[in-house]
Amino acid sequence: MGQETVLNLFDRFSDMVYRIALSYLRSPQEAEDVVQTVFLKLLEGGITIFPGKERAFLTKLTINHCKNLLSRAKRHEQTELDETMLQAQPEDRELFLAIMELPEKYRVVLSLHYLEGYTLREIAEFLHIGISAVSMRLHRAKNILKDQFGRD
Amino acid sequence: MEQRFERISNALTLPQESRERIRSQLAAYERPSGEVPRRKTTLRSRVSVIAAVAAVMMVLVLSAGAVAVQLFRNDVVVSGEDDIPEPTYHNGAPGGYVISRPSGEPPATLEEMIASARMITEKWDSEESINGGIYGYSQWDTLEVLSSDPALRTRRIGRKDGAEKLEHTAENPTNLLDVLTGNINFDLAWMNDHYDFVPDANMTSRICDKSGNLVIEFFRALYAKKDGTGYIDLSFDYVAQADYFGQAYILEDSYETAYYYTSADGLEYLITMDNGNVWVECRTSHAGISMHGAYLNTSEVEDILDNLSLAIQE
């Protein structure tokens, strides 16, 4: 894949890759490493991505890479998140930290759906789980958050 | 709450400083030029040449835990790009693919290969050579030479977070076998009888993460034909966690020869030949067995494969 194409993809999707990686790893530093790794792979790989599939491909690549990192680490060290990393209103910052405190399986589904806009079906296929499982995780994740933040 | 999610999504971006750093790195990336043409243009091979360690498994996208059995993930030979399946969410195709093609160049001479391989050791004591590694392990901070004995040199390269790369080189590649982890087992006795090993063109490299878990192990050895007319360069790597990626394809007309061969050990290899070059690849979930040779015929290649006693722990 040409450098210009990769840079273009980086400009369009680096934030998405960062957010997905963060939802898995809970570490801004490691999420940044994932961004670097994912786009370097594109650059070195001579890969062709089917037109229109770039976003899904990068999502899949990011998810797999994060899963590998977590699996490799066996017991992933939990990082204390710096709340100032999110330049947002205090209440949104609180919600973000609460999302990050959710169990991984809820956190990832919620992030893919609400932060990245993927449908339940797409998430099911990314994660190799059933749509009902995605739906249930999402429901439980939202309930946990609603218990903390009310029904707004 | 949905609106708040949206605001969080908009606010949660890659920090600007990191964005600029990574973008600069991508923009400054240069594909290797003037390298000894020892590889096909595949992702794995490029990384091998650049960083002297193999790094990435190009495999079908599968779930991370579903790789208990040994599966061969060699390039798929197709008659044309039209035969490459369009990705859907149901056929396992990852949405991207790689087509491997020969460069058309003749193989490097043995002298060039030796010169290339010896780059691994000539800066053995120099911190200039400690950078370079695999993805996520591209920057290192410390270097400690543990042994300079040419029979088996050892050095430890470290990173501040505790990750570590241990490298060995040896005049005789057989000396390297004892320092391997055993994830890929093989025997070089037949090779030593039928080919001449090239001194100082042989190395192993093992990277462990900050917790001491194996990330990747790499082995390389160079052998010359006894009559001096050709050579075979062996590169084996083992990745602790397969890095799921895209499928690679070969267009059948792009090589003079392209066929699958199952060795006496039961491993499936893809053998390709073009303009004097020979490439051999066997990829499994965790291992990559790669060879590049010059001026070897198919019988000679198959003899090598049948006499390595290769076994891979999956």
Side-chain angles (χ1 to χ4, degrees):
Chain A
M1 185 173 289
Q3 204 156 26
E4 204 170 310
T5 308
V6 173
L7 288 172
N8 180 270
L9 290 174
F10 177 81
D11 291 340
R12 289 165 61 198
F13 298 116
S14 57
D15 288 336
M16 178 197 75
V17 170
Y18 176 70
R19 282 191 297 268
I20 294 172
L22 194 61
S23 73
Y24 268 99
L25 305 173
R26 292 185 73 259
S27 159
Q29 183 58 51
E30 289 182 41
E32 288 176 21
D33 287 347
V34 170
V35 175
Q36 180 177 324
T37 300
V38 163
F39 288 96
L40 272 174
K41 281 179 179 178
L42 296 185
L43 206 50
E44 299 210 346
I47 300 166
T48 302
I49 302 177
F50 286 100
K53 300 286 184 183
E54 293 90 348
R55 187 164 177 266
F57 182 78
L58 285 167
T59 299
K60 186 72 190 171
L61 199 58
T62 305
I63 289 171
N64 285 336
H65 186 63
C66 291
K67 281 181 175 177
N68 287 342
L69 287 175
L70 290 171
S71 172
R72 184 185 298 159
K74 292 192 176 81
R75 187 174 52 80
H76 189 244
E77 292 166 20
Q78 293 293 309
T79 312
E80 192 71 26
L81 282 169
D82 177 2
E83 63 178 55
T84 60
M85 63 175 288
L86 185 72
Q87 300 298 318
Q89 299 166 23
E91 62 268 29
D92 290 344
R93 208 179 289 168
E94 267 182 61
L95 177 58
F96 164 69
L97 291 176
I99 293 169
M100 289 293 113
E101 292 304 319
L102 290 170
E104 180 193 311
K105 62 182 181 180
Y106 297 154
R107 192 169 70 230
V108 168
V109 166
L110 189 133
S111 171
L112 288 171
H113 185 63
Y114 285 112
L115 302 191
E116 306 311 326
Y118 281 113
T119 65
L120 304 195
R121 181 182 184 81
E122 287 170 325
I123 295 168
E125 284 150 353
F126 282 137
L127 303 180
H128 296 286
I129 58 177
I131 294 176
S132 58
V134 176
S135 176
M136 189 177 65
R137 290 181 191 185
L138 203 55
H139 180 70
R140 288 182 179 168
K142 282 187 75 175
N143 276 349
I144 293 171
L145 294 176
K146 281 174 179 170
D147 285 346
Q148 291 181 52
F149 295 95
R151 302 275 155 181
D152 60 322
Chain B
M1 191 172 274
E2 276 74 5
Q3 288 177 340
R4 294 173 69 184
F5 287 139
E6 191 177 338
R7 289 201 301 267
I8 290 170
S9 179
N10 291 334
L12 191 59
T13 56
L14 188 63
Q16 188 59 26
E17 190 181 322
S18 304
R19 180 189 311 281
E20 288 169 8
R21 175 179 55 79
I22 297 170
R23 200 178 194 287
S24 300
Q25 198 171 14
L26 296 172
Y29 174 82
E30 288 181 19
R31 288 212 165 84
S33 59
E35 294 276 359
V36 174
R38 45 190 283 265
R39 306 283 185 199
K40 288 186 290 187
T41 54
T42 65
L43 172 61
R44 289 169 64 90
S45 57
R46 283 180 186 151
V47 173
S48 298
V49 173
I50 296 164
V53 292
V56 179
M57 299 283 289
M58 287 197 305
V59 295
L60 283 168
V61 172
L62 294 172
S63 61
V67 289
V69 297
Q70 188 158 297
L71 297 171
F72 298 111
R73 305 179 188 286
N74 294 319
D75 295 356
V76 176
V77 180
V78 293
S79 56
E81 286 198 51
D82 291 345
D83 292 340
I84 296 172
E86 281 275 349
T88 72
Y89 286 119
H90 304 292
N91 67 6
Y97 62 89
V98 177
I99 293 181
S100 301
R101 290 190 174 91
S103 67
E105 296 291 321
T109 64
L110 179 59
E111 288 70 29
E112 288 172 321
M113 286 296 292
I114 292 170
S116 166
R118 279 189 174 148
M119 286 175 65
I120 294 166
T121 59
E122 68 187 9
K123 292 180 178 175
W124 188 250
D125 298 325
S126 166
E127 291 193 11
E128 290 172 15
S129 62
I130 67 171
N131 287 323
I134 67 165
Y135 297 119
Y137 292 88
S138 57
Q139 295 294 319
W140 299 92
D141 301 308
T142 61
L143 179 149
E144 180 185 10
V145 175
L146 304 179
S147 169
S148 294
D149 180 355
L152 185 66
R153 295 185 185 91
T154 306
R155 68 178 187 174
R156 180 189 293 135
I157 296 169
R159 197 167 72 174
K160 283 173 188 162
D161 70 355
E164 182 179 286
K165 179 161 68 166
L166 197 62
E167 293 182 338
H168 301 273
T169 69
E171 290 179 336
N172 184 338
T174 304
N175 293 347
L176 298 170
L177 298 185
D178 287 342
V179 299
L180 294 173
T181 58
N183 287 305
I184 300 178
N185 279 303
F186 52 96
D187 184 358
L188 295 174
W190 187 92
M191 286 299 298
N192 286 335
D193 287 343
H194 293 79
Y195 288 79
D196 292 328
F197 63 79
V198 176
D200 284 340
N202 315 296
M203 72 167 296
T204 68
S205 174
R206 182 198 312 166
I207 292 178
C208 292
D209 66 16
K210 60 187 177 186
S211 303
N213 301 309
L214 177 69
V215 176
I216 184 171
E217 183 172 39
F218 176 74
F219 167 87
R220 182 185 177 189
L222 179 62
Y223 283 89
K225 285 176 77 171
K226 286 191 178 293
D227 62 7
T229 60
Y231 58 80
I232 184 84
D233 185 27
L234 314 179
S235 296
F236 304 160
D237 64 84
Y238 184 90
V239 183
Q241 292 295 328
D243 201 349
Y244 302 108
F245 208 56
Q247 178 64 49
Y249 296 88
I250 279 182
L251 304 181
E252 61 184 352
D253 292 340
S254 60
Y255 288 85
E256 292 168 3
T257 303
Y259 69 105
Y260 296 101
Y261 177 74
T262 301
S263 71
D265 306 317
L267 298 181
E268 179 201 272
Y269 294 89
L270 175 61
I271 299 174
T272 50
M273 297 179 166
D274 196 79
N275 199 18
N277 291 282
V278 177
W279 296 277
V280 180
E281 298 276 351
C282 169
R283 298 191 191 117
T284 71
S285 299
H286 294 265
I289 307 298
S290 300
M291 301 178 198
H292 173 243
Y295 306 112
L296 298 171
N297 61 37
T298 54
S299 296
E300 289 171 319
V301 173
E302 291 170 11
D303 278 346
I304 291 171
L305 301 180
D306 284 336
N307 286 283
L308 281 172
S309 300
L310 252 162
I312 298 165
Q313 303 292 321
E314 291 291 346

